[in-house]
Amino acid sequence: MAAGPFRALLLLLWVLSTAADRLWWSSHGGLPAWDQADYLNSALDHGRALGLLPAGSWQGWQALLDLSPKIPPLGSLVNGAIIAVSGDAPAQAAWSLSLWNGLLLLATAGWALSLRSPQRLAREFALLAAAAVSLAPMLLELRTDYLLELPLTACVTLALWRVGCWLDNTRPTSWWQALIAALAVAVALLVKQSALLVLIPACAWALVVALRSGVRRQAQLALGLAVVTLSLLPWLHHNWITTLGGTNRAVIESAAREGDPGVLTLAGWLWYPRLIPDQIGWVLLVIGLSGLVLLLQQWRSGLVAPSRDGGDRRQAWVWLLGMLVLGWLFTNLSPNKDSRYIAPLLPPLLLLLSRGWLQWGLWIRGRWPVQARWLPGAALAIGGLAAATPAWMQQSARLQNPHQGPLESIVQRAGGGVPGVAPKTLIVVPSTPDLNQHNVSYYGRRSGGQLVGRQLGGSLDHVQPVLNYAELVLLAEGDQGSVRKAARRLDRAVRDSGVFERVDTFSRPGGGSYSLWRRRADVPVSLGFDQRFPALASALEKGPSGLDPIFRSVAIEHMLDGHFLYRGPAREAALARLRAYPGDRQARWTLALLAVLANRPTEASRQFAALEQALPDNPWPSAFRAVVLLAGWNPSEAAAVASAANERQGDQPVLMGLDAAGSVLSGAIWRLPDAVDILPKAIRVIEQSLNPQENASS
């Protein structure tokens, strides 16, 4: 096949798959559920931060990085830019999935071309592999589900292809190949950090090959590692603490909560393989595997030479098989299991199975040479239809019951989705696929709106703050499934307290209703958080014992005020007090805590340094300053601050621990024994400070 028809057919394949996706979106598109709405919100946030969407403007790099505390920003940046062009309705925003699918098809076809030679024959195999990717049920599902798994799969496939091309020792080593491979790896990691599960073994393989090669390839590896590191560094430096915390919750805590099988159990090792038939389809699997068996038999009988007559490039296939096995191994080592997590390995698996399909075509061509022009193509077309039919039926069945509800009416009645309206927060007590805090926020901020949803009701501690400070509350009537006792208590308090009045009621398609409640005009809001914040911040003067009440109050306030509107007035009031009285300690504590909450370690360090001068006998300003310096990747200065403070205060375990930790992190590895010895003591001091009553009773 010539290059021109090949490109045209590959483009046609993308057009047909996109047309099918748009048909499903237009016919079955419902309301986005929790995760889908969360990713839509992230795309909307990044589009606004770039100044591409209404109510948004460029606020600087730090403000942009603030929007991706747990997951890298590249996927949301691309999706937000596409929303600016396509529109912000979920079905319109999903055009980004079609573009990511185009990248996936391109990467799959490119990888297929590198697996066989000559190019004329390889193009037939590439089209076959791209068609298999288009028909796989799991990848069909990801094309109509607004998640990051499709961008992740596309970018990981691209990265594996390009790294494999760079490692190919049958071609001369190229600096351009190394640079392209490094950029592809960086792009995959900037979409989602779970790409590491596949790219760690790929990079380890590349490292081993480079170390066994000449200086030129080793220099190219060093260039690639530098490109990847520099690409990740800004985001990782800004968000490393929240990323570690979010990864721990998503991987370890989620696995324990959901009861996923253990890493070392048989059920754990079989968890992903048992999903493969449903994820790629029985037709693709059976015909592909049988074709591979046929190929192996022909190799053993000498009818086909593995690397010559068959047109297969041995090293490229070794790379693909290695990535499949190692990728599955590393993915399986992750404690949290989900059917989506194996998606990045489906394209290489489909490439392998497509080789089996191709082998059947070659066998038919050799068995009936007279009909060689049309019979293999006809057989593969029939097989493709057999594979497409169940995949299409499975996809249609999945989309038959989309989430429906009065979400848009509720948001409109609450004042969301309207440009120019003052920011509002709607407290959402129910949490269902058709209505939750995430999709309320997305619909409330479409078209430049400023309404966000926040969920409360998970604790009895939420009841009184809602009665004191909330403006808008959404409740549910009728069957809601399992509801926490605290949520029922909050529901009754809103209805019976006399603080709120019912604004409107909205019927639910499955029975029951939602009701919107607004604070009565004659019931004023209690003292604002911006006025209570300075007293809370001053509790830091007591050390760790002041942290718990601060962060419990802040956690609830961030639900009541989803826009963090308290920060501006609190900061302005603190600055005004400092202008009037530069030695005002409460103002310094206020500014320091605001900087910590906003993830501004440099500003926090400056405020804690001023408090060190104001409170020379208090060790905690120095301790807090050392902590934020460590958070800002400045361990040497953190060690110096802690060491100087410890000399002033005498032997303080917390300061000694921070000094040792900062020294080790800055390269003084001879301080490691000191760190191992003192850090447990420092942790005990902090725990005793956090639980003074418990320690007193014991």
Side-chain angles (χ1 to χ4, degrees), residues 190-345:
L190 283 171
V191 168
K192 201 172 184 182
Q193 62 265 45
S194 58
L196 286 169
L197 296 174
V198 180
L199 295 181
I200 283 178
C203 292
W205 186 311
L207 177 63
V208 171
V209 171
L211 292 178
R212 297 173 61 183
S213 304
V215 175
R216 180 181 175 87
R217 192 180 291 273
Q218 293 172 11
Q220 291 172 359
L221 175 67
L223 169 67
L225 292 176
V227 169
V228 173
T229 302
L230 291 175
S231 300
L232 293 173
L233 199 59
W235 170 77
L236 192 59
H237 176 262
H238 191 79
N239 293 304
W240 70 276
I241 295 177
T242 51
T243 298
L244 289 177
T247 301
N248 174 68
R249 287 190 295 272
V251 175
I252 299 176
E253 294 180 10
S254 178
R257 185 172 58 252
E258 297 170 4
D260 290 332
V263 172
L264 301 180
T265 64
L266 180 61
W269 287 104
L270 296 178
W271 206 92
Y272 288 114
R274 68 182 178 84
L275 299 175
I276 295 300
D278 290 332
Q279 291 194 330
I280 65 175
W282 280 103
V283 175
L284 285 172
L285 181 63
V286 171
I287 296 179
L289 287 177
S290 62
L292 292 174
V293 171
L294 174 64
L295 177 61
L296 289 174
Q297 289 178 340
Q298 292 181 342
W299 281 353
R300 293 182 63 182
S301 62
L303 298 176
V304 174
S307 59
R308 295 192 304 274
D309 300 339
D312 296 304
R313 306 181 72 247
R314 179 179 178 183
Q315 182 172 330
W317 281 105
V318 169
W319 167 254
L320 183 141
L321 290 171
M323 290 303 97
L324 263 178
V325 173
L326 293 174
W328 166 73
L329 176 64
F330 274 71
T331 301
N332 204 72
L333 290 176
S334 174
N336 189 222
K337 303 289 192 294
D338 190 280
S339 60
R340 304 195 310 261
Y341 296 165
I342 200 68
L345 293 177

Side-chain angles (χ1 to χ4, degrees), residues 427-429 455-473 475 484-500 519 523 526 552 555-557 559-560:
I427 303 302
V428 183
V429 179
Q455 186 178 6
L456 285 173
S459 168
L460 294 176
D461 294 338
H462 297 170
V463 175
Q464 197 57 47
V466 169
L467 296 179
N468 290 343
Y469 307 110
E471 290 285 352
L472 293 167
V473 182
L475 305 177
R484 293 183 179 181
K485 178 182 177 181
R488 292 196 299 268
R489 180 77 63 84
L490 178 57
D491 184 286
R492 287 197 302 271
V494 171
R495 296 178 191 275
D496 302 338
S497 64
V499 173
F500 296 92
R519 177 174 290 274
V523 181
S526 299
R552 278 194 289 110
I556 295 177
E557 178 61 24
M559 294 291 103
L560 295 167

Side-chain angles (χ1 to χ4, degrees), residues 62-64 66 238 592 594-605 628:
Q62 283 197 318
L64 180 65
D66 286 340
H238 191 79
L594 286 172
V596 170
L597 294 174
N599 191 16
R600 299 292 185 269
T602 302
E603 170 63 16
S605 173
V628 297

Side-chain angles (χ1 to χ4, degrees), residues 413 426 467 470-475 493-506 515-523:
R413 191 71 175 86
L426 172 61
L467 296 179
E471 290 285 352
L472 293 167
V473 182
L474 187 68
L475 305 177
V494 171
R495 296 178 191 275
D496 302 338
S497 64
V499 173
F500 296 92
E501 59 183 359
R502 186 190 296 259
V503 176
D504 208 341
T505 302
F506 309 86
S515 56
L516 179 64
W517 297 72
R518 179 188 293 122
R519 177 174 290 274
R520 295 171 58 92
D522 56 350
V523 181

